[in-house]
């Protein structure tokens, strides 16, 4: 039984691994040293980018996607702002999406600096302009305001630059399917995604996986205890059967 089961598991487990990876893409990074926010170039006011932070680590949204082209091999660009990071701490950002929307995602982080490539600046500017055009000017709650870091004693309404560990997150979404439906091939629907900012514990283990690891340890301990009990009971049954067999043979003699 065990000899047949082990090869079977060896064939099945990689299939489950492939299924999980198909719906999750991530990037891992170390939070940079604090910088002055906002800087003069580029100005962060009113960019309209959605933000992720340790205090608000999840954004549920829809991202535009497109088929790769020579001009945009990675698909359609989206931009986000990561703020209030702990300098030197390891983080990962994951994007999770439905298997019913086959998409290839590419995630890249950029520090706040003045030496960005022109194509990167153009991509972010175009995205910010398009996003701001869709927002109600009186309700732009997702725009990046000038505000102090929560660790600072400065007045939150102080317009002066403040110091914070921040990054820009660049997400590219490329449609990864073929369909006989001509409408789907010409007009790729937006992809429903969850963007998750996850800090690492001791820069080794993602914090969101701690409950899963706990369950794995618990199940492993229970499996060992139950396994030992089964072995003892089976051994006892075998010994009883052997003892009974010896007694019957003795009686016959």
């Amino acid at each position: 039984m065990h000899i047949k089961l082990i090869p079977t598991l060896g064939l099945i487990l990689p299939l489950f691994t492939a299924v999980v990876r198909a719906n999750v893409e991530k990037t891992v990074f170390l939070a940079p040293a604090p910088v002055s926010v906002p800087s003069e170039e580029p100005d962060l006011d009113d960019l309209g980018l959605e933000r992720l932070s340790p205090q608000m680590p999840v954004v549920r949204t829809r991202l535009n996607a497109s088929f790769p082209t020579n001009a945009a091999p990675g698909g359609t660009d989206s931009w986000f702002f990561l703020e209030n990071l702990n300098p030197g701490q390891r983080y990962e950002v994951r994007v999770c999406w439905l298997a019913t929307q086959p998409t290839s995602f590419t995630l890249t982080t950029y520090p706040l600096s003045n030496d960005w490539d022109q194509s990167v600046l153009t991509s972010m500017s175009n995205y910010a302009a398009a996003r701001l055009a869709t927002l109600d000017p009186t309700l732009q709650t997702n725009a990046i305001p000038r505000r102090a870091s929560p660790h600072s004693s400065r007045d939150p309404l102080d317009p002066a630059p403040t110091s914070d560990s921040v990054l820009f997150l660049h997400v590219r979404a490329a449609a990864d399917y073929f369909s006989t439906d001509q409408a789907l091939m010409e007009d790729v629907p937006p992809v429903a995604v969850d963007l998750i900012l996850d800090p690492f514990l001791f820069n080794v283990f993602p914090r969101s996986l701690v409950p899963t690891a706990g369950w794995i340890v618990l199940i492993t301990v229970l499996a060992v205890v139950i396994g030992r009990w089964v072995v003892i009971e089976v051994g006892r049954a075998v010994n009883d059967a052997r003892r009974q067999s010896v007694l019957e043979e003795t009686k016959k003699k």
Side-chain angles (χ1 to χ4, degrees), residues 37-239:
V37 179
S39 64
E40 294 180 358
E41 296 290 343
D43 188 358
L44 296 183
D45 289 349
D46 300 328
L47 280 177
L49 304 183
E50 289 189 273
R51 297 171 300 206
L52 290 94
S53 68
Q55 295 76 31
M56 297 189 66
V58 179
V59 168
R60 175 163 292 183
T61 185
R62 291 181 177 271
L63 299 182
N64 292 328
S66 60
F67 286 101
T69 62
N70 292 333
T76 301
D77 294 341
S78 298
W79 286 85
F80 298 85
F81 191 67
L82 311 180
E83 63 180 355
N84 297 340
L85 304 176
N86 185 23
Q89 184 171 5
R90 190 179 302 276
Y91 292 84
E92 74 175 23
V93 173
R94 298 190 299 273
V95 56
C96 307
W97 68 100
L98 297 175
T100 54
Q101 294 183 290
T103 311
S104 176
F105 286 94
T106 304
L107 283 71
T108 311
T109 56
Y110 292 93
L112 187 63
S113 65
N114 295 326
D115 57 354
W116 283 13
D117 185 87
Q118 184 60 42
S119 61
V120 177
L121 284 173
T122 301
S123 170
M124 186 175 67
S125 299
N126 291 340
Y127 175 80
R131 176 172 168 77
L132 286 172
T134 64
L135 297 178
D136 186 338
T138 62
L139 298 173
Q140 292 183 4
T141 57
N142 289 322
I144 300 175
R146 291 193 177 192
R147 59 180 179 77
S149 168
H151 305 293
S152 172
S153 59
R154 191 188 298 270
D155 184 351
L157 298 179
D158 186 353
T162 60
S163 182
D164 195 4
S165 177
V166 298
L167 286 171
F168 286 97
L169 175 65
H170 184 196
V171 180
R172 287 175 287 180
D176 192 19
Y177 63 84
F178 177 81
S179 174
T180 56
D181 187 338
Q182 191 63 26
L184 284 177
M185 297 301 295
E186 295 177 355
D187 187 15
V188 179
V191 184
V193 302
D194 282 345
L195 280 166
I196 303 170
L197 176 65
D198 196 7
F200 278 55
L201 292 179
F202 308 106
N203 280 1
V204 173
F205 197 75
R207 186 171 63 187
S208 65
L209 295 182
V210 171
T212 302
W215 278 110
I216 292 175
V217 171
L218 178 61
I219 292 172
T220 302
V221 172
L222 289 176
V224 170
V225 172
I226 294 174
R228 288 182 177 178
W229 176 80
V230 170
V231 169
I232 292 172
E233 291 300 316
V234 170
R236 182 178 302 167
V238 170
N239 290 334

